[in-house]
Amino acid sequence: MSEASVPSFAVIPGTQVADALRGRERRIVELVEETYRLHDTGDTVNPPSYFLRFPDRPSARIIALPAALGGPSAVDGLKWISSFPENVAAGIPRASAVLILNDPETGYPFACLESSIISAARTAASAALAADRLTRTRSRPRTIGFFGTGLIARYVHRYLTATGWSFDEVGLHDVSAEHAEGFRSYLTRSEAPGKVTVHASAEGLIRSSDLIVFATVAAVPHVTDPGWFKHNPLVLHLSLRDLSPEVVLDAVNIVDDVEHCLKAGTSPHLAEQASGGRDFLLGTLPGVLAGRVSPPADRPLVFSPFGLGVLDLAVGRFVYDEVGHNGGLAVVEGFFHELRRYG
């Protein structure tokens, strides 16, 4: 390997990530769809996520998501994202993350990006894509409810409105009244149309919403009554562990990837254990995009995305290219030092 073939190494902070993504919501949704289609055709490598847990801090974890993305913007890499729920009480975000991008030709890492924004953006883009595709066989929702009112909820609302959604009413529910009020204040400042209602109960939020977004930090199911969903809403179950097996088994279920989603104590994983099989799954979102899966309109519909590392790579590569195109890459000179085999 010659020295000239080794890529430079750049660090991209959150300010640059946010600038590169601002106003590009439609493009990011398109990019997420393109990546799902590549995943569906086998042009990705997305092994299981790896969980680092701590006996003395049972609520905390750090997750490694290695992946490789093919296609015209091929890139390999790793997302390293922590979830420390106790941070919220201290006034700082629960999640923090970095994303490493590797050159597919040499294997050398060529960038490190702040990735909590990338993770939120790809999650919100996936949710917006699913909301669009999964409502094409049913009435388009006019009321939306956010169960959990943190960063992910804010990004989901932003991506929905940026891709043409509007709602007659926006419902909010959070175990913290302060957090629900903070999100209500954000909606008021954003001048989004629609009445905003803060619900004191989870049941009230769910029964009054045609589209429900779960974005909590729940570790175990806490919504257990299938009767709350008898009005057949679309549920974007982004936090994955809110719904009991009874609720899951009573609904039509779409996931992003079967093997990834049915593990680590997610609600679909618990439903598999309770039912003894996977027949409750109708299919995957890539299957919906490809036209192989068409959800019915006469039952509750739950989309549970585990979150694929290839989505982070796609968005991270987009950010890297945008920052480079604008001449803003902060290259770390001399990052790779030992480049001659014999000195």
Side-chain angles (χ1 to χ4, degrees):
M1 180 185 300
S2 67
E3 184 174 341
S5 67
V6 175
S8 60
F9 186 81
V11 175
I12 302 178
T15 52
Q16 288 185 308
V17 174
D19 288 343
L21 293 175
R22 187 173 294 111
R24 307 291 181 84
E25 290 86 358
R26 287 184 180 272
R27 176 63 191 120
I28 300 305
V29 173
E30 292 171 356
L31 183 60
V32 165
E33 179 174 354
E34 293 164 7
T35 304
Y36 274 134
R37 291 184 183 276
L38 285 172
H39 185 65
D40 193 44
T41 58
D43 203 4
T44 64
V45 181
N46 207 107
S49 302
Y50 297 90
F51 288 73
L52 175 62
R53 299 187 183 275
F54 312 95
D56 61 329
R57 291 159 285 165
S59 68
R61 65 182 187 268
I62 307 179
I63 311 173
L65 288 80
L69 177 65
S73 299
V75 64
D76 307 332
L78 173 75
K79 175 172 134 181
W80 182 239
I81 182 167
S82 67
S83 175
F84 279 53
E86 304 304 320
N87 286 353
V88 176
I92 62 176
R94 168 188 61 87
S96 59
V98 294
L99 178 68
I100 301 295
L101 302 181
N102 292 74
D103 175 29
E105 182 178 352
T106 66
Y108 271 75
F110 62 86
C112 176
L113 299 84
E114 195 286 329
S115 197
S116 65
I117 297 171
I118 290 172
S119 185
R122 65 85 152 147
T123 300
S126 173
L129 175 65
D132 175 49
R133 293 294 181 147
L134 296 176
T135 55
R136 293 190 178 185
T137 56
R138 56 177 61 206
S139 298
R140 194 169 174 91
R142 298 303 309 164
T143 58
I144 184 171
F146 288 92
F147 197 139
T149 55
L151 177 73
I152 296 299
R154 174 160 57 87
Y155 267 75
V156 170
H157 180 267
R158 171 178 150 190
Y159 269 72
L160 286 171
T161 56
T163 52
W165 288 79
S166 62
F167 301 97
D168 298 331
E169 183 172 354
V170 180
L172 311 176
H173 175 72
D174 199 293
V175 294
S176 166
E178 179 185 357
H179 296 163
E181 177 57 30
F183 196 77
R184 188 201 63 77
S185 177
Y186 154 74
L187 292 173
T188 301
R189 295 194 309 273
S190 70
E191 299 183 350
K195 174 185 175 183
V196 179
T197 302
V198 177
H199 291 268
S201 71
E203 181 180 0
L205 176 87
I206 291 169
R207 288 189 182 275
S208 63
S209 303
D210 303 323
L211 173 61
I212 304 161
V213 180
F214 281 93
T216 75
V217 295
V220 295
H222 54 97
V223 175
T224 60
D225 189 345
W228 294 2
F229 301 86
K230 288 302 182 183
H231 56 301
N232 301 329
L234 170 61
V235 179
L236 302 179
H237 187 208
L238 307 182
S239 37
L240 285 176
R241 295 172 175 84
D242 302 277
L243 306 179
S244 71
E246 293 80 8
V247 173
V248 173
L249 294 173
D250 195 57
V252 175
N253 289 274
I254 300 290
V255 297
D256 54 354
D257 182 282
V258 174
E259 296 302 326
H260 283 79
C261 198
L262 271 66
K263 62 178 57 176
T266 65
S267 293
H269 185 204
L270 298 180
E272 177 189 28
Q273 294 174 335
S275 65
R278 299 179 172 182
D279 291 344
F280 66 93
L281 293 178
L282 180 65
T284 66
L285 182 58
V288 173
L289 298 176
R292 298 191 305 272
V293 179
S294 181
D298 58 351
R299 291 177 61 194
L301 177 56
V302 177
F303 174 56
S304 300
F306 192 82
L308 302 178
V310 290
L311 300 180
D312 296 277
L313 288 185
V315 177
R317 180 68 199 232
F318 173 87
V319 169
Y320 176 86
D321 290 342
E322 284 294 307
V323 174
H325 178 74
N326 295 326
L329 283 179
V331 173
V332 181
E333 299 295 342
F335 186 83
F336 300 111
H337 177 64
E338 286 286 359
L339 297 175
R340 297 183 183 277
R341 187 169 186 177
Y342 300 110

